[in-house]
Amino acid sequence: MNVNEMMPALRRLALEAGDRIMEVYQAEDFEVRTKSDESPVTEADEAADALISAGLADAFPGAAIVTEEQSATHDLEARDFFIVDPLDGTKEFVQRRGDFTVNIAWVENGVPIRGVVYAPARARLFWTRDDGTSVEEVGPFDKTRPGECRPIRVATPDARALMVVASKSHRDQATDDYIGKYQVADMKSAGSSLKFCLVATGEADLYPRLGRTMEWDTAAGDAVLRGAGGSVVRFDNHETLTYGKAGFENPFFIAHAPGVQLMDE
């Protein structure tokens, strides 16, 4: 696998999936079903998943692919693999709040080293370059070649006035209690993997997640954040989050800019 030839394909597939998602999003109505884990799924999730899965298989024959919408892939055991959440933030999608993303990442030896996060309703596109650094592309999102790209970098945090971002749909008292340990200047709520990207661009310093997530929810955003100089660590011991875990389930975690003095539980 040549990671230096990977991003054009991942970027194109994310944009194509975003187009398909927006077709459904802009329709007058669409069906919403409930999966076995009680989470919602729509035809947009399934159409984007089919498009991305087929595109990855065609561009990278033989590569392992894990995707949220295909339960048969959830038993895979691999250290090197693509991991996909074709529509992260389905609740935001269903409620037409815009904070949903397409997420595609390449994990190598347990580390997400390449990723793309595309928020089609927000017209924001983040991805990692061949050298591993991250950019935000500023339209017009031509599928064959990137437009203007702005290198992104985490902010230098002020411990007396931290910028914090938290989940819009999964906020709870435990999260609020943990955030209360810090001196916070401003609090934002955002959906999906956009929260990682807000830390990556310096729009936030800290994103704690004290709730259940899966690796497909985090890998692409994690790659973008790492490429911008940030980190994602386990909540319990502050060790770097790894990928390829059994069942692809994450522990609680904290995404942050260097310089944030992390508080204990």
Side-chain angles (χ1 to χ4, degrees), residues 122-195:
R122 297 281 184 246
R124 299 195 74 173
L125 174 63
F126 308 87
W127 48 278
T128 52
R129 296 189 292 197
D130 290 349
D131 62 2
T133 61
S134 295
V135 297
E136 179 173 4
E137 185 175 339
V138 187
F141 304 150
D142 185 289
K143 295 179 180 63
T144 60
R145 60 180 180 179
E148 178 186 351
C149 292
R150 178 174 62 89
I152 56 177
R153 192 75 186 169
V154 293
T156 300
D158 180 351
R160 300 163 299 178
L162 290 177
M163 310 291 285
V164 179
V165 62
S167 175
K168 184 176 289 185
S169 297
H170 302 280
R171 185 82 166 269
D172 58 16
Q173 189 61 49
T175 301
D176 287 342
D177 290 345
Y178 180 72
I179 293 170
K181 295 174 181 283
Y182 296 87
Q183 296 184 55
V184 177
D186 190 30
M187 168 79 73
K188 298 180 180 180
S189 294
S192 70
S193 58
L194 277 172
K195 294 182 286 294

Side-chain angles (χ1 to χ4, degrees), residues 33-155:
R33 302 188 307 281
T34 302
K35 297 191 289 189
S36 59
D37 64 357
E38 302 302 316
S39 64
V41 64
T42 71
E43 62 185 282
D45 298 76
E46 294 168 341
D49 180 71
L51 187 155
I52 295 168
S53 297
L56 289 175
D58 181 62
F60 309 101
I65 302 171
V66 178
T67 173
E68 178 182 12
E69 302 306 333
Q70 297 179 38
S71 59
T73 68
H74 300 174
D75 295 326
L76 183 73
E77 294 183 9
R79 294 293 290 172
D80 301 347
F81 55 94
F82 288 106
I83 188 160
V84 178
D85 190 341
L87 202 173
D88 183 31
T90 302
K91 290 181 180 179
E92 306 297 321
F93 178 89
V94 169
Q95 295 173 23
R96 299 184 191 272
R97 294 197 296 209
D99 279 7
F100 50 86
T101 54
V102 180
N103 300 269
I104 311 172
W106 170 250
V107 174
E108 194 165 282
N109 197 29
V111 179
I113 62 172
R114 297 288 184 273
V116 57
V117 175
Y118 178 41
R122 297 281 184 246
R124 299 195 74 173
L125 174 63
F126 308 87
W127 48 278
T128 52
R129 296 189 292 197
D130 290 349
D131 62 2
T133 61
S134 295
V135 297
E136 179 173 4
E137 185 175 339
V138 187
F141 304 150
D142 185 289
K143 295 179 180 63
T144 60
R145 60 180 180 179
E148 178 186 351
C149 292
R150 178 174 62 89
I152 56 177
R153 192 75 186 169
V154 293

Side-chain angles (χ1 to χ4, degrees), residues 181-220:
K181 295 174 181 283
Y182 296 87
Q183 296 184 55
V184 177
D186 190 30
M187 168 79 73
K188 298 180 180 180
S189 294
S192 70
S193 58
L194 277 172
K195 294 182 286 294
F196 292 98
C197 299
L198 293 178
V199 180
T201 60
E203 295 169 72
D205 303 308
L206 179 71
Y207 160 39
R209 181 58 185 267
L210 283 66
R212 185 174 188 262
T213 61
M214 307 300 288
E215 292 184 11
W216 46 77
D217 296 314
T218 62

